[in-house]
Amino acid sequence: MMIDSTTEVWIRLGVFIGVLALMMCWEALTPNRKSPVSKLARWTSNFGLIFLGSLVVRLLIPAGLGAVALWAQQHNIGLWNQFSVSLWWSIPITVVLFDCLIYWQHRLFHRVPLLWRLHRVHHADPHIDVSTGLRFHPIEIGLSIAIKLVAVVLLGAPLMAILIFEVLLNATAMFSHANIALPKNIEQLLRKVIVTQTMHRIHHSQIVSETDSNFGFNLSIWDRLFASYTQTAKNGDMGINIGLKEYPTEKSNSNLVHLLLMPFKNKPD
């Protein structure tokens, strides 16, 4: 199937809206837990950050990563473009490599204090639902795009691989953060391959050792492979205290202005 960068954008948007709507309906029908703060306040800020992050992406790469992939292909730049490798090999390998890249990017944002200042905007959410999966500071979004851009160029990533990866990244981020609980037997089976809600909620625990585990977004193998996997939360799934202790109030953890300023302040107001 031949696609161009414009088609890529529309496919990504369509899948994004579809998965978002599905998860929101699922959460409304069978929520796992109740939010401790106003849904209106949280969603206004979370979706506000999503909108601002989208603007940053549009400003940095107006035509999207797909256009960068096409440019690299046209100029014979990147690893895959140096060899006659079948797309049947280069596409799945690229998707897996990019998933591993995002895993390590995530760990890096936890490890480096300056980057954690940005990433704590995501972790300060006192509740976890589909909107949390997209709640990132615009500067973190910009840095993530820059990292992926470099990877696209160095690897000479095929356009189809970028499309598949970006669709999977957004869809699995919304899925793993959704405020739902799968039947235990299904959840245990799924987490052998992908990151589930129960697995990822541990990552949003206020217990530091749990926060610094389960970094994966899509494939769950990376946490097992690189020794960052936590099977169960110390206090059980329903006993997890979500968020960051230093941001206990609705104003500090759910106000858009405060979230935008959070990386630049040592303490909440």
Side-chain angles (χ1 to χ4, degrees):
M1 176 183 177
M2 298 297 294
I3 60 172
D4 55 26
S5 57
T6 302
T7 304
E8 177 217 4
V9 171
W10 283 108
I11 292 175
R12 287 179 53 195
L13 181 61
V15 175
F16 168 77
I17 294 174
V19 174
L20 178 63
L22 176 61
M23 291 298 106
M24 291 176 72
C25 290
W26 195 341
E27 290 177 338
L29 291 172
T30 57
N32 181 61
R33 60 174 70 200
K34 184 178 179 180
S35 175
V37 300
S38 163
K39 178 182 287 189
L40 177 62
R42 285 187 61 255
W43 279 12
T44 298
S45 295
N46 288 3
F47 284 103
L49 286 173
I50 295 167
F51 174 74
L52 293 173
S54 298
L55 287 181
V56 168
V57 172
R58 185 56 58 189
L59 288 172
L60 290 177
I61 313 179
L65 286 174
V68 177
L70 287 174
W71 173 83
Q73 182 180 13
Q74 292 166 359
H75 292 81
N76 203 36
I77 297 173
L79 181 64
W80 291 129
N81 293 321
Q82 304 305 310
F83 305 96
S84 298
V85 180
S86 168
L87 290 177
W88 290 104
W89 285 101
S90 63
I91 289 176
I93 292 173
T94 298
V95 172
V96 171
L97 288 176
F98 267 72
D99 196 63
C100 186
L101 172 68
I102 293 301
Y103 166 85
W104 281 107
Q105 174 189 303
H106 194 180
R107 289 194 69 164
L108 185 67
F109 271 78
H110 275 251
R111 180 66 62 182
V112 179
L114 189 61
L115 297 178
W116 172 247
R117 282 177 168 266
L118 295 169
H119 191 58
R120 67 186 179 186
V121 171
H122 177 69
H123 277 270
D125 199 337
H127 182 53
I128 182 170
D129 64 16
V130 64
S131 70
T132 311
L134 304 164
R135 167 181 156 142
F136 296 95
H137 196 280
I139 296 178
E140 179 174 358
I141 293 294
L143 290 174
S144 180
I145 282 293
I147 291 170
K148 287 187 284 188
L149 187 153
V150 171
V152 168
V153 173
L154 290 178
L155 195 58
L159 176 58
M160 182 60 75
I162 298 303
L163 171 59
I164 294 172
F165 170 74
E166 289 290 297
V167 166
L168 282 175
L169 181 64
N170 285 330
T172 54
M174 289 187 282
F175 175 76
S176 63
H177 286 85
N179 182 33
I180 59 175
L182 299 171
K184 188 173 181 179
N185 58 335
I186 295 177
E187 190 275 331
Q188 290 295 312
L189 181 62
L190 278 179
R191 77 156 64 185
K192 294 181 183 297
V193 181
I194 64 172
V195 177
T196 63
Q197 296 79 21
T198 304
M199 178 180 168
H200 193 70
R201 270 192 289 269
I202 297 171
H203 180 71
H204 282 263
S205 167
Q206 291 183 5
I207 299 174
V208 176
S209 61
E210 294 182 346
T211 306
D212 290 336
S213 70
N214 297 1
F215 293 99
F217 271 86
N218 180 20
L219 299 176
S220 61
I221 188 175
W222 309 123
D223 284 296
R224 293 185 176 87
L225 188 61
F226 300 115
S228 58
Y229 178 63
T230 297
Q231 172 73 26
T232 57
K234 178 181 179 181
N235 298 316
D237 183 49
M238 294 306 296
I240 298 174
N241 289 317
I242 303 294
L244 296 176
K245 293 178 180 178
E246 56 267 41
Y247 298 96
T249 66
E250 183 173 315
K251 181 181 179 181
S252 65
N253 61 43
S254 300
N255 178 276
L256 181 58
V257 174
H258 281 73
L259 294 178
L260 289 171
L261 295 177
M262 186 182 290
F264 311 104
K265 295 183 177 182
N266 292 324
K267 297 180 180 179
D269 294 335

